[in-house]
Every structure is written in C-alpha cells, then in structure tokens.
Amino acid sequence: MIVKSAEFVKSAAKRKQYPEYQLPEIAFAGRSNVGKSSLINCLLNRKRLVKTSRTPGRTQLINFFKINDEFSFVDLPGYGYAKTPVKVRESWGPMVQDYLFERKNLLAVVLAMDIRRVPKEDEFNLIRLVESLNLESVLILTKADKLSKNKQNNQKRIYREMLQTEKEKLLLFSAKTAMGKEIVWNALETIIGNAENGEVPK
Ligand code: GDP
C-alpha cells in the first residue's frame, strides 16, 4: 500500500459525533500497551499520528483517520490499563460496543495481542462479538521481535489453539523491525478490495 495521505479526522464518544463519510472502515482494538498505536503508525509510515494509550485525552475516545481519501482507520481506546480511571474503564464497553453495532461502513476489526501473552476473556469476548456482527477480523501478534523465531512459532500455535482460528488468520508483527507489515497490509487491502467489489459483510 502506498500511503499518500493519512490525516486525523476527529475523536468521538457518541454515535452522532462519528464522521459522516461512508468510506470503507477498519477498526483497531487491543489491550493498552499492546503496541496498537505503534502498529497503526508503522502501517501509515508515521511516527506519532496515533497517540499512545499512556497519553491522556484523545486515546480514551474513538479516533478516526482518513487514508488516501479512500478508506478510514479507527483507533479504538485500549482496554485493561490499570491506571485508567474507573469511570473511563466502565464507559469503554458501551462506547466501543455502540460503535461496533452501529457503524455501517465498518468492515473489519484488527485485534492486536502481545505475542508474549495469551488471550484472555477480553479478547475472547471481542472476537465473539466481531463474529456475531459478521465483521471480518484480523488477529495480530505484536512485538514479535521480543521473541526468537522458535518462541514466535510456539506462541502462534498456542494462540491458534486457544482462539480456534486458522493459521493464516494470525499475523506476526513488529513495529520495531516492520516485520509482517506487508502481510498485514495485504490482509487489509483484501478486505477493502472485497468491499469495493460489493462483497460488504453486513
Ligand atoms: P498501545 O498502548 O497499544 O497503543 O501501545 P504502544 O504502541 O504505545 O506501545 C506500547 C509500548 O510498547 C511502547 O513502549 C512501544 O515502544 C513498545 N512497542 C510497541 N510495538 C513494539 C514492537 O513491535 N516491538 C517492541 N520491541 N516494542 C514495541
């Protein structure tokens, strides 16, 4: 993918604040600190377009970005960060669920998971929800550079078994080395391409 332009459009908490455009949209989700902002920034060849979840403010909202004036990326607020105030933590579920249920142009959810961990209830729930909404999912194991090749493959197997998913659905990625960048883009381009051919999942 040649990224000609990538611009922040707006932050939103409620449905009526979402941008009105109908561009094919891909949302990114993941536990705080999993490397979600680094993933998006790496895909877009930007250093700091997407703010990390440790920065207060914008990251606790749903952030919309327009890419090449052709499609839209959405950075969902990270979940599970211990320092997040309780009130904000409680608002995460309804805010994100509302978005997933209501956003008509949403095609897929990219779920970032740390390769050194294992999926937990939050991940299972999110995957189930995405499936039930007939959205595509792309599962990414982040920070792959932190493990040896052997351990990467072991972890991939564990994730595959726990999530009951096909091997091709789990992509290894490192924002540090850009490993997996092309493969992730291929997956996203396929989803966007299918939608443009009228095969919209919902
Ligand atoms: P977010 O909270 O999910 O948006 O996570 P960030 O993208 O802010 O990353 C959290 C921390 O992990 C930061 O210190 C990053 O530098 C680091 N990090 C993110 N991606 C990678 C990666 O691929 N490899 C390594 N080694 N560190 C990473």
Side-chain angles (χ1 to χ4, degrees), residues 10-11 13-14 20 46 59 79 93 131 168 175 187 195:
K10 66 187 298 198
S11 298
K14 301 192 185 99
E20 281 175 12
R46 297 298 192 87
T59 57
Y79 51 83
E131 274 173 6
E168 300 71 38

Side-chain angles (χ1 to χ4, degrees), residues 15-202:
R15 208 179 311 171
K16 55 178 191 296
Q17 300 166 332
Y18 303 161
E20 281 175 12
Y21 56 62
Q22 303 288 314
L23 299 172
E25 193 157 277
I26 295 180
F28 291 75
R31 182 173 299 279
S32 296
N33 219 33
V34 72
K36 177 165 57 71
S37 347
S38 304
L39 163 67
I40 306 173
N41 285 328
C42 177
L43 291 173
L44 299 177
N45 307 318
R46 297 298 192 87
K47 282 212 161 63
R48 272 178 289 273
L49 181 66
V50 177
K51 304 280 189 290
T52 88
S53 51
R54 284 169 187 272
T55 336
R58 201 158 107 174
T59 57
Q60 287 155 354
L61 297 166
I62 299 173
N63 293 307
F64 294 81
F65 299 86
K66 206 196 269 186
I67 322 300
N68 293 351
D69 287 319
E70 282 171 16
F71 55 94
S72 167
F73 272 7
V74 165
D75 184 25
L76 296 172
Y79 51 83
Y81 187 45
K83 286 191 187 154
T84 310
V86 177
K87 266 218 158 99
V88 177
R89 236 181 291 163
E90 284 170 353
S91 66
W92 187 92
M95 181 167 68
V96 169
Q97 275 185 31
D98 219 38
Y99 166 78
L100 295 174
F101 274 99
E102 299 299 332
R103 189 68 168 160
K104 296 281 181 288
N105 51 326
L106 176 64
L107 302 176
V109 175
V110 175
L111 177 57
M113 298 172 287
D114 190 317
I115 192 165
R116 297 164 300 170
R117 298 177 178 248
V118 290
K120 299 255 172 68
E121 207 48 40
D122 289 324
E123 282 77 28
F124 288 116
N125 287 342
L126 195 55
I127 291 171
R128 242 177 269 137
L129 177 60
V130 167
E131 274 173 6
S132 73
L133 293 170
N134 272 333
L135 297 166
E136 299 257 11
S137 58
V138 179
L139 307 174
I140 299 192
L141 303 186
T142 60
K143 307 191 189 183
D145 60 278
K146 299 241 188 202
L147 296 182
S148 68
K149 258 260 147 331
N150 262 343
K151 287 194 174 146
Q152 286 175 11
N153 287 329
N154 274 341
Q155 281 301 101
K156 192 172 174 181
R157 190 163 53 239
I158 291 169
Y159 266 98
R160 200 176 75 219
E161 284 168 9
M162 290 185 76
L163 299 176
Q164 297 281 309
T165 186
E166 308 127 61
K167 199 159 68 182
E168 300 71 38
K169 277 230 144 185
L170 272 177
L171 309 179
L172 300 183
F173 179 79
S174 163
K176 196 172 168 187
T177 65
M179 165 195 177
K181 184 175 172 181
E182 288 302 312
I183 294 172
V184 173
W185 264 127
N186 285 345
L188 302 184
E189 284 176 64
T190 302
I191 290 167
I192 295 165
N194 287 345
E196 281 164 357
N197 293 330
E199 295 165 35
V200 184
K202 73 170 181 180

